Amino acid sequence: MTSPSAAPARGVARIAGCLASLPLRSWLLLWLVYVALARAGGPAAGALLEAAVEQAGVSALMPETIGAFLLAPGSWVPTLAALALACAGTLLWTAVVLAVAVSDTPQRALAIIRGWGWRRSLLLVLPLTFLAPLLRVPLFTPVTRDLTLPPFIGREFLKTPHTGALWVLGLAAVALIVFASIVILGRGRDPLRACGRWLRGNWRTALVIVAVALAASLVPASAGIVSDTAMVIGAVTVALCLSSRAPVRKPASSVPALAAFVTVVAVGTGASVVVPFTVADGHEPDDALVIAHRGYVSGGPENTILALEAAAPHAPDYVEVDVLQAADGGIVASHDTNLAVLAGVPGNIYEMTTAEVTATSIEMHGNRDTIPTLHDYALRAKELGLPLMIELKVTGHEVGDFAAQVVDELAAIDALEGNVFHSLDAATVQQLENEHPKLEVGLTIAMLHGDLPSIDCDFFTIEQASITPEVVHAAEERGLPLYAWTVNDENAMRALLDLGVDGLITDNLEADVLRHQVTAD
């Protein structure tokens, strides 16, 4: 009698056998198709989106310009073309993977697409195309593989356990939708019912798919040939998991195929490690600034004096701090407008007095402290010898002249010199530049697709997901420093330093890369 675990074991063995016996010609075909779609389709979709931005009459696609972009009729055609190209790439790649994995005949790909039908294909491929990359699992989405959630969004949710749980649940919901899309894509006429039956009968195989997805999410897109190869192997593995018809071919063909493919991976991996970084002209990585994001949040809640003091031993070049205006005009150090997340108090700072705000305790990572005024924060920073990068957060509920009040408070304690300022609000940046030309003022950008804004400023702070070689080059041409935020991953730090950024705003002050920076400074 067969043991209960025998069937799953045979299933995993079948998948492994299919992978091992897939001919070399099939691996090469799959790899070439993926690379062609990723390296040609991705840039083509990006070019269409850039054309849409130009037709909309905006300089770049940013949070501040999304409304104008969507309402401009001239942007609709190229935007729809970009969406169609991305979906077509997903359809084609998925069909090729299924065709090759199941029958080793790529000619079946078009027949598979025709069998899906356009309605079913659209309903299933849309979430697959635009949600899977957000999870950093672009196994079936070569055209949109660089479409990722900006890391700062997750960071904001992970401040506290309960918001972290909401973040995990949200990602799980997205993953479930993507997983269902992949499963349904390979089912028959009644896909939803078939999907349910498949999950009930193949939950161990589903775990294999989840493991493959997790492994794929750990491979950075910047790894080049390694990333391409990993996505191909992962996609074929998932396709085999979803199919019960894939034959195990003669094992003799597996030896040269696996040897050749392992060689490709090994060479690619070695090249990614051995090839030295190419530094932008005139820029040395050791020159980049280290900027402590809201203090050192591992030692105290963000923007508190406890976090400021915790940053001091790491000797950052600047400590970044956010400031908001309270209802009575007082300036306090806080990023969150609403205190529900960190303090459990569902109140807006612009509706509270300065005394009420500063009496509020906030907690992060097991540390508690009260919200300080800008006056107290800047005084303590001055005592510690820590220059500040002060972000003016505009809510639209300010009373009086917010920017002028910030400057006046700092001037009153002789804390203007050595500190710099930045803001997401372009009008505030322009006001500071016009009224206080001796101050160093930068524009903060949360999302950018297109040219750098034409604004009179002294530097840019840009969210890391929006920083490209073109953006770095544009900043260099204008002679303006460019700082990346919030960069906590050491591989991302190295990549951005290699790209030529002038500074890293980070929570991870203990990173080896940053220790080298501090030593060099």
Side-chain angles (χ1 to χ4, degrees), residues 155-156 159 293-297 300-305 307 322 333-336 342 362-364 370-372 377 507:
R155 182 212 176 271
E156 292 303 319
K159 287 179 180 179
H293 186 233
R294 307 176 192 171
Y296 185 44
V297 295
E302 62 183 30
N303 293 313
T304 62
I305 291 179
D322 306 289
S334 175
H335 171 271
D336 294 3
L342 292 180
I362 59 176
E363 181 174 354
M364 279 183 70
T370 53
I371 298 174
Y377 193 95
D507 301 311

Side-chain angles (χ1 to χ4, degrees), residues 289 291 318-321 387-392 410 415-422 432 439-442 458-459 461 483:
L289 301 181
I291 303 165
Y318 288 96
V319 172
E320 195 264 352
V321 60
L388 298 178
M389 177 179 281
I390 302 168
E391 179 178 352
L392 283 72
L410 294 172
L416 277 178
E417 187 176 350
N419 295 330
V420 300
F421 303 81
H422 65 139
L432 287 172
L439 295 181
E440 190 172 343
V441 185
D458 301 304
F459 63 89
T461 54
Y483 308 128

Side-chain angles (χ1 to χ4, degrees), residues 71-116:
L71 293 175
S75 69
W76 297 346
V77 171
T79 299
L80 289 175
L83 295 177
L85 177 59
C87 291
T90 299
L91 275 175
L92 177 60
W93 170 242
T94 305
V96 168
V97 170
L98 288 173
V100 172
V102 172
S103 64
D104 194 25
T105 56
Q107 293 81 2
R108 289 196 65 240
L110 293 179
I112 289 175
I113 294 176
R114 286 195 299 270
W116 288 336

Side-chain angles (χ1 to χ4, degrees), residues 123-132 135 169-185 195:
L123 289 174
L124 300 178
V125 171
L126 276 174
L128 191 61
T129 303
F130 300 107
L131 294 182
L135 300 172
L169 287 174
L171 291 180
V174 172
L176 184 60
I177 293 171
V178 172
F179 182 79
S181 298
I182 297 174
V183 173
I184 291 171
L185 210 53
C195 178

Side-chain angles (χ1 to χ4, degrees), residues 415-501:
L416 277 178
E417 187 176 350
N419 295 330
V420 300
F421 303 81
H422 65 139
S423 179
L424 284 160
D425 184 62
T428 298
V429 172
Q430 203 62 67
Q431 177 187 347
L432 287 172
E433 284 284 357
N434 294 337
E435 297 179 0
H436 305 278
K438 292 184 179 181
L439 295 181
E440 190 172 343
V441 185
L443 177 67
T444 305
I445 301 174
M447 183 190 76
L448 177 69
H449 188 90
D451 298 329
L452 282 173
S454 297
I455 181 174
D456 184 19
C457 65
D458 301 304
F459 63 89
F460 290 102
T461 54
I462 302 180
E463 205 282 323
Q464 59 178 310
S466 294
I467 296 178
T468 63
E470 293 76 19
V471 170
V472 174
H473 181 66
E476 288 176 345
E477 281 193 328
R478 291 170 60 173
L480 298 177
L482 187 155
Y483 308 128
W485 62 276
T486 303
V487 192
N488 294 330
D489 178 74
E490 291 205 42
N491 289 327
M493 290 178 183
R494 292 187 180 95
L496 287 165
L497 290 172
D498 171 49
L499 206 57
V501 299

Side-chain angles (χ1 to χ4, degrees), residues 303 321-324 332-337 339 349 357 371-372 393:
N303 293 313
V321 60
D322 306 289
V323 296
L324 288 161
V332 296
S334 175
H335 171 271
D336 294 3
T337 302
L339 299 178
I349 285 179
V357 174
I371 298 174
K393 301 193 73 66

Side-chain angles (χ1 to χ4, degrees), residues 196-216:
R197 287 199 302 267
W198 186 90
L199 287 172
R200 287 194 297 271
N202 299 273
W203 63 270
R204 290 181 177 85
T205 306
L207 292 179
V208 174
I209 295 177
V210 171
V212 171
L214 290 174

